[in-house]
Amino acid sequence: MIDHGRPRRLEGSVPAGSLVVLATLTARPGLRGELVAAARRNAARSLALEDGGCLLFLVVEDTEDLEVLRFVSAFQDEAAFEGHRSTPHFRAWREESAELLAAEQPIRHWQGVTV
């Protein structure tokens, strides 16, 4: 279980060639808390051994519009990301979040670089 009460310092970068996925989601009015809880479960399960190829999974909120969440996740490669999308927890997340979302922008793919 991830300790959400104690901040941890993040250092470094994701490995060169890894796939970084950015997603922007907007909660339906009054459902932000439920969406955040579902997002936390999804992130924790993605980082667990259940997923294997997930290197990083952050859930952040927009400081100007708290209904908007952004996911920043990194995977070893495209195959790891596709594997993630086929897991039972991802399918459960998609089903659960469909009820909670007002809007979802297309995901963006980036690539890790050496710094």
Side-chain angles (χ1 to χ4, degrees), residues 51-67:
D51 232 80
C54 184
L55 307 172
L56 171 78
F57 203 119
L58 302 174
V59 179
V60 297
E61 62 188 13
D62 189 307
T63 58
E64 295 181 12
D65 183 352
L66 296 180
E67 301 296 316

Side-chain angles (χ1 to χ4, degrees), residues 37-77:
R40 283 184 176 156
R41 284 191 299 277
N42 181 48
R45 291 174 180 152
S46 297
L47 289 167
L49 293 178
E50 184 177 340
D51 232 80
C54 184
L55 307 172
L56 171 78
F57 203 119
L58 302 174
V59 179
V60 297
E61 62 188 13
D62 189 307
T63 58
E64 295 181 12
D65 183 352
L66 296 180
E67 301 296 316
V68 176
L69 299 179
R70 290 192 171 80
F71 291 3
V72 181
S73 53
F75 297 87
Q76 289 175 341
D77 51 28

